[in-house]
Amino acid sequence: MQPRSDQHAGLAYGIAAYTMWGLLPLYWHLLDGAAPSEILAHRMLWSLPVAVVLLAVLRRWSWTGPLLRQPRRLGLIVVSTLVISANWFLYIWAVNSGHVLEASLGYFINPLVSIAFGVLVLRERLRPLQWTAVAVGALAVVVMTVAYGRIPWIALALAFSFATYGLVKKGIKLDGIEGFSAETALQLLPALGFLVFLGLRGESAFVSGGVGQALLLSGCGVATAVPLICFGAAAVRLPLTMIGMLQYLAPTFQFVLGLTVFDEAMPPERWAGFALVWLALAVLTWDALRTTRRARTALAEAAARAGETAAAGETAAAGVAQAAGTAPATEAADASAPAPQAAEEPAAPPAPGLTQ
């Protein structure tokens, strides 16, 4: 069990990570003088130096050799890099094109899509309340489609691309910093080539936008890495259920920004769709909390039964020894029974937007 001070630190890190992810639209909006493709290229380019510094500080280079000798994992990293690059581009474009609310809807939907992928691809079995949550989320998409006369494709594309990214990452099996470093290493040359091409054509906002714009574009790597670092610090200090609840902070901040800062319209049909998604997430979170509570109760009961069995065994052993005319060994009587292994905590809904 984590010390209380450690959990407080983890909570602070988690809130910081999801708050920064939730406020990223403000950062991308400051860069609206540059094309989304150039912003994406700078995000790719400047993320790698940050990743290298992190690896140097942590001295975590041992994973690179084995990875280079495993073509299948390298292929999966290529796929994950392509998927997350598409996700990044669409998110930046959505923010700078006035679709912040629909982008936030995508990250609200993401946990439901990830659960559906678990069933369809990984053949996982869902509990009844999880099925209910997925069904309500699907109903929300139907309501918005009928009301608007079009599918909310931005939200769905963001949700499905990030869920696909999470699915591929399960096969790669690299920690956050290592995976981030491998992906940004693959992104470097295409990003650099594209930025050189823009510069030669005289279309580079980095060159023509002034010092402020250049600094903001080069800061994309820090804006990408710092929330990830905070999330990693939170993940090792907090239970999964708490991480699962914190994950909704990011799209909530995006939703509030869309309403207040970007003044996007929120007609009744959009409220209805969002309300259904929030209902689905409430059901999903309640089911995760209930399942966790049951697992902890079962663990406590198992520990109590093991203690009673051990005590009974020690009493019986003492009786046998006494009957044989020997004194029972006090040390054996006082020895504590081995504690049962801790049960694995049920996974909370997957965290959306870890690399928004």
Side-chain angles (χ1 to χ4, degrees), residues 33-118:
S37 54
E38 184 178 0
I39 298 172
L40 174 65
H42 278 285
R43 187 176 188 179
M44 293 174 171
L45 176 67
W46 297 106
S47 290
L48 183 59
V50 176
V52 170
V53 169
L54 289 174
L55 289 175
V57 170
L58 298 173
R59 298 180 181 180
R60 288 163 67 170
W61 303 101
S62 59
W63 56 276
T64 54
L67 179 64
L68 292 174
R69 294 190 293 271
Q70 297 177 304
R72 181 181 176 277
R73 291 178 75 196
L74 285 173
L76 289 175
I77 289 175
V78 171
V79 174
S80 71
T81 302
L82 292 173
V83 173
I84 198 59
S85 299
N87 179 274
W88 284 359
F89 174 79
L90 181 58
Y91 183 71
I92 295 168
W93 175 86
V95 168
N96 288 347
S97 300
H99 299 289
V100 176
L101 286 176
E102 192 167 339
S104 74
L105 177 64
Y107 289 110
F108 277 125
I109 293 175
N110 175 68
L112 304 173
V113 176
S114 294
I115 287 176
F117 275 16

Side-chain angles (χ1 to χ4, degrees), residues 152-172:
W153 67 271
I154 296 173
L156 291 177
L158 286 171
F160 274 86
S161 61
F162 199 77
T164 302
Y165 176 70
L167 185 66
V168 175
K169 293 281 279 185
K170 285 180 70 70
I172 298 172

Side-chain angles (χ1 to χ4, degrees), residues 97-274:
S97 300
H99 299 289
V100 176
L101 286 176
E102 192 167 339
S104 74
L105 177 64
Y107 289 110
F108 277 125
I109 293 175
N110 175 68
L112 304 173
V113 176
S114 294
I115 287 176
F117 275 16
V119 174
L120 298 174
V121 180
L122 302 178
R123 301 290 186 244
E124 295 176 354
R125 297 174 64 89
L126 295 188
R127 296 183 293 273
L129 283 178
Q130 290 177 314
W131 278 115
T132 302
V134 172
V136 173
L139 178 61
V141 174
V142 172
V143 166
M144 288 192 174
T145 300
V146 172
Y148 279 104
R150 67 172 180 85
I151 295 174
W153 67 271
I154 296 173
L156 291 177
L158 286 171
F160 274 86
S161 61
F162 199 77
T164 302
Y165 176 70
L167 185 66
V168 175
K169 293 281 279 185
K170 285 180 70 70
I172 298 172
K173 296 178 181 177
L174 280 178
D175 288 340
I177 298 298
E178 286 87 341
F180 176 67
S181 302
E183 289 159 4
T184 53
L186 289 178
Q187 291 170 335
L188 176 66
L189 288 180
L192 184 60
F194 180 72
L195 291 174
V196 170
F197 171 76
L198 288 181
L200 293 175
R201 289 173 58 92
E203 299 174 359
S204 170
F206 185 82
V207 175
S208 62
V211 175
Q213 187 84 330
L215 289 174
L216 285 171
L217 285 169
S218 59
C220 288
V222 176
T224 300
V226 171
L228 182 65
I229 296 168
C230 290
F231 174 79
V236 298
R237 291 172 170 85
L238 295 177
L240 288 176
T241 46
M242 190 171 293
I243 292 289
M245 288 184 286
L246 285 175
Q247 69 177 304
Y248 302 124
L249 281 176
T252 299
F253 276 116
Q254 295 164 13
F255 176 79
V256 172
L257 288 176
L259 285 179
T260 59
V261 177
F262 299 102
D263 295 319
E264 293 188 28
M266 194 68 178
E269 57 269 23
R270 178 173 274 189
W271 277 112
F274 268 89

